[in-house]
Amino acid sequence: MAKPQEKVSFGQRLKQIGMVFKFTAKQDRWFAPLAAAAVLIPLALTVVAVLLWGWIWLPLGILFALLCLLVVLNLRSNRAMMNAAEGQPGAAAQIMESMRGDWRVTPAVSSTTQMDMVHLVIGRPGVILLAEGNPQRVRGLLGQEKRRLAKVIGSAPLYDYVIGQEEGELPIRKLRMTLMRLPRNLTGKDVNSLDKRLKALTARPQMPKGAIPKNMRPPRGAFRQSRGR
């Protein structure tokens, strides 16, 4: 089930907006001029409207200026976050975890020591695999995960994407829009059932590869004693 969202107080909300302002202004050199224009132009039009038609336009103009500022902040902050996330290991999983809606994200269900990783996402479209890292290595990881999941997901659709800038790859700035445009193939109950099956699969213990450690080997004569019983 999706986690219930915690209520945020007005003071915390203002603090969050302030942090977004600072981050966006640091990452985007065009943010400050655009934000200033978003406030000053509506205020200038408000002054003209007040002089022509009266003070009733003052609160409307202030609200319109704040709305324009928030629109600019939303657009430029998303752009700044995408620019900062590009090329960072695990960025795709972080973006998915921040998306609205019922998305069940399991970061790095498969990975290598070279920071190549595959993230598992379950949602209304079905099962989604997001790969980050070297394209040749992550395609091998994707193939392994697809074969492993095919035994469990049944008829649920399976999508896979390699995050990157090359041909055939999905730029991270287009990740949200691409997934939001996928068809809603599953119901909420289907998502819950699929989530439980996949969690059971990923939680299944695996035997370590290689020779069995000496401290885990049975004592000598144990097999002979069991045969004689």
Side-chain angles (χ1 to χ4, degrees):
M1 296 294 291
K3 297 181 180 179
Q5 294 183 353
E6 298 180 357
K7 293 184 178 180
V8 181
S9 65
F10 181 72
Q12 291 175 327
R13 182 71 66 184
L14 289 179
K15 186 177 180 180
Q16 291 175 354
I17 294 176
M19 293 174 62
V20 174
F21 260 95
K22 291 180 181 179
F23 171 80
T24 309
K26 184 178 180 180
Q27 296 289 331
D28 185 359
R29 62 189 182 93
W30 289 104
F31 171 67
L34 290 174
V39 174
L40 295 177
I41 293 176
L43 289 181
L45 295 176
T46 301
V47 171
V48 175
V50 168
L51 293 176
L52 293 177
W53 298 293
W55 291 96
I56 191 175
W57 289 95
L58 181 60
L60 295 176
I62 294 175
L63 291 176
F64 184 66
L66 291 175
L67 178 61
C68 292
L69 178 60
L70 290 177
V71 170
V72 171
L73 175 62
N74 182 55
L75 295 176
R76 304 305 293 190
S77 63
N78 286 335
R79 181 184 179 90
M81 284 190 289
M82 293 299 104
N83 290 336
E86 196 163 358
Q88 297 296 322
Q94 294 179 1
I95 291 174
M96 290 303 305
E97 289 175 337
S98 66
M99 281 181 59
R100 294 182 178 179
D102 189 9
W103 301 96
R104 322 289 176 89
V105 184
T106 305
V109 292
S110 182
S111 60
T112 67
T113 56
Q114 290 85 9
M115 300 303 291
D116 308 305
M117 59 191 71
V118 176
H119 312 297
L120 172 63
V121 181
I122 307 170
R124 295 291 296 274
V127 180
I128 304 167
L129 294 174
L130 302 176
E132 294 183 281
N134 181 277
Q136 296 180 352
R137 291 194 296 262
V138 297
R139 292 189 189 281
L141 292 178
L142 274 176
Q144 295 175 9
E145 285 301 311
K146 289 168 70 174
R147 289 190 295 269
R148 188 171 71 101
L149 295 177
K151 305 174 183 178
V152 182
I153 64 175
S155 59
L158 176 60
Y159 304 89
D160 62 276
Y161 301 95
V162 177
I163 305 299
Q165 296 292 333
E166 302 298 328
E167 184 178 357
E169 298 176 352
L170 177 63
I172 197 167
R173 65 181 69 251
K174 296 182 179 180
L175 175 60
R176 287 182 178 178
M177 189 60 64
T178 299
L179 299 193
M180 290 299 294
R181 288 177 176 175
L182 291 177
R184 298 302 187 253
N185 301 304
L186 304 180
T187 65
K189 292 182 179 180
D190 294 334
V191 173
N192 290 333
S193 176
L194 189 58
D195 188 24
K196 290 179 181 178
R197 296 203 303 269
L198 292 183
K199 281 183 178 178
L201 176 66
T202 56
R204 185 179 301 169
Q206 298 180 352
M207 290 296 294
K209 296 181 180 180
I212 301 176
K214 292 183 178 180
N215 59 356
M216 294 180 62
R217 295 176 182 173
R220 292 183 179 180
F223 293 108
R224 290 195 296 269
Q225 291 177 7
S226 62
R227 290 175 184 174
R229 291 181 182 178

